[in-house]
Amino acid sequence: MTTGILYIVATPIGNLNDITLRAIEVLKQVDVIAAEDTRHSKKLLEHYGIDTRLMAVHDHNENDRIQSLLGVLQGGASVALISDAGTPLISDPGFRVVRAMQQAGIEVVAIPGPCAAIAALSIAGLPTDRFLFVGFLPAKQKARQVALEALSAEQGTLVFYESPKRIVSALEDVALVLGEVRVVSVVKEITKAFETVKTGSVQEALAWLAEDERHRRGEFVLLVQGAPAHSGAVIDASTLRALGLASEYMPLKKACALVSELTGLPKNALYEASLAQNKG
Ligand code: SAM
């Protein structure tokens, strides 16, 4: 008997119309839909007239469900895995299921679609040639600062998921640990009525969040410009600020020579860092 296929199906992140034709087709045709929260997913499935049998697979029972899913798939039935929103496995359950099924020789097929991180990158206005998806930062301040410190040399755009409860404290820690010179982008409620993108300095983002309680509600993606490129020298936020200030009064090359004289940092490293800063 041939084994079934496990489909990893992306679902909307707000606007119910953001689902592919192929996703609807697969969700109708499979024998079982493994959903993170069956009650939550029923709304989407009812909207599209899908009455496929549901099975709950979430963070707390993923290991237990692996054997039953394997049984279903080895019996020749097909399964679609969905999460509450967006692409499964992206800050959502599913990794252990996919790994176990692949190890058992089951075919795993992607049905791609919405993902908040990618949607946010596409509208934030920060460089997208290289990025690091971090997911959720730790909830506790000390651990969050340690996590940010570990990311401080990353040159790609940093992409975080953040809860409305912690968006302000996360930004405050970004300013504290990564410095205030980095451009940040607060992207909220993507595909929903109050979709908003605020790209600018950390202080501008914090001021916008403080302006109105409604600005702090909803779902957030926080993006932070990567560390400036340099030739091995560590160029901290205050050096970059000094460079920025100096270059307001003289050509950039002269400003680099001056700051190099004052700090001992190589001129070319300062020049590269300044260009990278302006590029962002
Ligand atoms: N798997 C999902 C994906 O592909 O984006 C992410 C699931 S994760 C549990 C949920 C987090 O994603 C939210 O707390 C928020 O940070 C982000 N998110 C989800 N939908 C969003 C939206 N419409 N706008 C902004 N952020 C969103």
Side-chain angles (χ1 to χ4, degrees):
M1 188 194 282
T2 51
T3 55
I5 296 173
L6 172 64
Y7 295 94
I8 307 300
V9 183
T11 57
I13 55 170
N15 187 324
L16 281 191
N17 287 338
D18 291 330
I19 187 159
T20 68
L21 296 175
R22 195 162 160 241
I24 296 172
E25 204 175 284
V26 164
L27 291 172
K28 280 186 175 165
Q29 281 170 4
V30 289
D31 301 283
V32 178
I33 297 175
E36 188 183 359
D37 176 343
T38 52
R39 280 219 329 242
H40 175 95
S41 294
K42 263 187 191 146
K43 277 184 235 152
L44 171 79
L45 300 175
E46 273 168 16
H47 184 82
Y48 285 102
I50 299 164
D51 58 5
T52 307
R53 184 159 70 90
L54 283 163
M55 176 198 273
V57 177
H58 43 70
D59 268 338
H60 306 293
N61 72 358
E62 200 176 337
N63 280 337
D64 299 339
R65 285 298 160 105
I66 284 174
Q67 280 316 311
S68 40
L69 283 173
L70 192 56
V72 170
L73 287 154
Q74 282 174 335
S78 287
V79 176
L81 179 80
I82 60 175
S83 62
D84 286 354
T87 302
L89 281 82
I90 307 301
S91 289
D92 264 342
F95 161 65
R96 285 170 285 179
V97 168
V98 168
R99 182 179 55 183
M101 297 309 137
Q102 279 172 341
Q103 284 171 351
I106 302 290
E107 188 182 355
V108 181
V109 169
I111 309 293
C115 174
I118 299 298
L121 272 164
S122 73
I123 54 175
L126 283 170
T128 55
D129 53 338
R130 173 169 160 166
F131 62 87
L132 180 72
F133 173 67
V134 186
F136 290 96
L137 280 164
K140 296 225 166 81
Q141 190 182 43
K142 185 73 206 144
R144 186 167 56 229
Q145 291 179 355
V146 170
L148 285 169
E149 187 64 51
L151 295 166
S152 61
E154 170 57 46
Q155 289 175 15
T157 297
L158 301 169
V159 185
F160 304 99
Y161 285 161
E162 199 42 273
S163 91
K165 271 191 274 179
R166 287 186 283 274
I167 186 71
V168 170
S169 38
L171 272 164
E172 285 169 350
D173 283 344
V174 164
L176 195 75
V177 179
L178 303 180
E180 286 189 20
V181 286
R182 294 205 195 186
V183 177
V184 301
S185 186
V186 174
V187 183
K188 64 170 285 203
E189 298 289 88
I190 306 165
T191 77
K192 301 190 221 177
F194 296 102
E195 175 173 315
T196 312
V197 184
K198 285 284 158 195
T199 301
S201 69
V202 188
Q203 290 314 330
E204 281 164 348
L206 283 169
W208 181 76
L209 287 165
E211 217 169 75
D212 190 326
E213 196 250 324
R214 285 168 298 184
H215 294 176
R216 299 189 293 278
R217 283 195 216 137
E219 296 194 281
F220 290 89
V221 183
L222 170 63
L223 302 96
V224 180
Q225 179 190 19
H230 55 73
S231 336
V234 177
I235 298 169
D236 62 16
S238 54
T239 307
L240 268 177
R241 215 171 303 131
L243 198 53
L245 276 175
S247 63
E248 284 176 21
Y249 298 94
M250 61 191 85
L252 182 57
K253 280 201 169 152
K254 272 201 167 167
C256 291
L258 175 72
V259 176
S260 167
E261 188 67 36
L262 291 169
T263 60
L265 288 162
K267 269 186 280 190
N268 62 341
L270 290 164
Y271 190 70
E272 279 172 29
S274 176
L275 290 184
Q277 182 72 15
N278 295 334
K279 191 182 94 184

